[in-house]
Amino acid sequence: EIHIGSRTLSLIDISGVIASFIALFVGIRLFQAFVSNRLLVQTNLDIGVRNAIGSGIGYVGIGVLLFFTLSMLGLETKELALIFGALSVGIGFGLQHVINNFISGLVLLIQRPIKSGDWIVVGENQGYVKQVNVITTEIQTFDNAALIVPNGDLVSSQVINWMHKSKLGRVVVPIGVSYDSDPMQIQKILLDIAN
């Protein structure tokens, strides 16, 4: 038996809690995958909304799972509130950037100024948004590199989204030719290339 304050827990109790935690965790992940890959795919929702719903189900499920696990260990609601209150102060100081990125991720998932598939420009980098997570956003550059950007940077700095309202946009491509070239021939060549 293990004594925690006034409570006594046996190894069987702890084994049951661990087994329940693992079973519920696997169940949450399977449910999240089912909703994301089976149910939401059949809807007309945008891929960004589908990703946001799938992520939200996972985070809510993990929060409920942690609360349930601590309750199974015998901690009451008042004690849990006290523990989380004390932890939040330390976590707040130690993980300021993580919490900032987490809150920014929630803002991005709810307001959706950028979503999966958008072509965005962040500073000197640009590419297609592959996935918006709660802490970071993954961008695939045109060189096929994965750029991981903290969500706090996307909320606090200027971001150009070429596909926010429309899939159509204009890209300026400067072309240099010699002064003695025939302008009509250059125009024809460029139009052929564009077509």
Side-chain angles (χ1 to χ4, degrees):
E1 295 181 341
I2 299 173
H3 300 281
I4 302 174
S6 61
R7 292 177 185 80
T8 303
L9 297 173
S10 66
L11 291 177
I12 295 174
D13 294 336
I14 295 173
S15 309
V17 169
I18 292 172
S20 300
F21 179 85
I22 292 171
L24 289 172
F25 181 79
V26 170
I28 289 169
R29 289 299 184 196
L30 289 174
F31 179 71
Q32 182 184 14
F34 174 75
V35 170
S36 297
N37 300 331
R38 300 288 174 125
L39 294 181
L40 294 177
V41 171
Q42 298 175 2
T43 65
N44 293 330
L45 294 174
D46 183 76
I47 189 169
V49 175
R50 296 197 306 252
N51 288 340
I53 292 172
S55 298
I57 289 172
Y59 292 117
V60 169
I62 296 298
V64 170
L65 175 61
L66 288 175
F67 186 81
F68 178 73
T69 304
L70 292 174
S71 297
M72 284 180 64
L73 288 172
L75 295 175
E76 296 177 3
T77 311
K78 292 178 183 177
E79 294 168 335
L80 290 176
L82 237 134
I83 291 171
F84 285 127
L87 285 175
S88 64
V89 174
I91 290 172
F93 285 115
L95 302 174
Q96 289 181 16
H97 295 294
V98 174
I99 293 172
N100 176 31
N101 290 326
F102 179 77
I103 301 293
S104 301
L106 293 178
V107 169
L108 291 175
L109 288 171
I110 293 170
Q111 289 189 343
R112 301 182 57 248
I114 63 170
K115 55 192 178 299
S116 296
D118 283 356
W119 172 11
I120 66 170
V121 180
V122 183
E124 298 180 0
N125 300 302
Q126 59 181 314
Y128 290 104
V129 177
K130 296 300 287 181
Q131 189 171 9
V132 180
N133 299 312
V134 174
I135 303 292
T136 60
T137 295
E138 181 182 346
I139 301 168
Q140 183 176 0
T141 67
F142 300 133
D143 297 326
N144 205 25
L147 177 66
I148 311 299
V149 180
N151 287 335
D153 294 349
L154 295 176
V155 171
S156 63
S157 62
Q158 184 179 21
V159 176
I160 298 172
N161 188 343
W162 285 94
M163 305 169 85
H164 183 56
K165 298 290 185 185
S166 170
K167 299 292 183 186
L168 299 176
R170 182 179 73 177
V171 179
V172 177
V173 181
I175 296 172
V177 295
S178 105
Y179 286 109
D180 56 353
S181 301
D182 180 10
M184 298 308 292
Q185 184 182 7
I186 294 170
Q187 183 180 11
K188 180 183 179 307
I189 292 170
L190 293 177
L191 287 173
D192 288 344
I193 292 170
N195 287 330

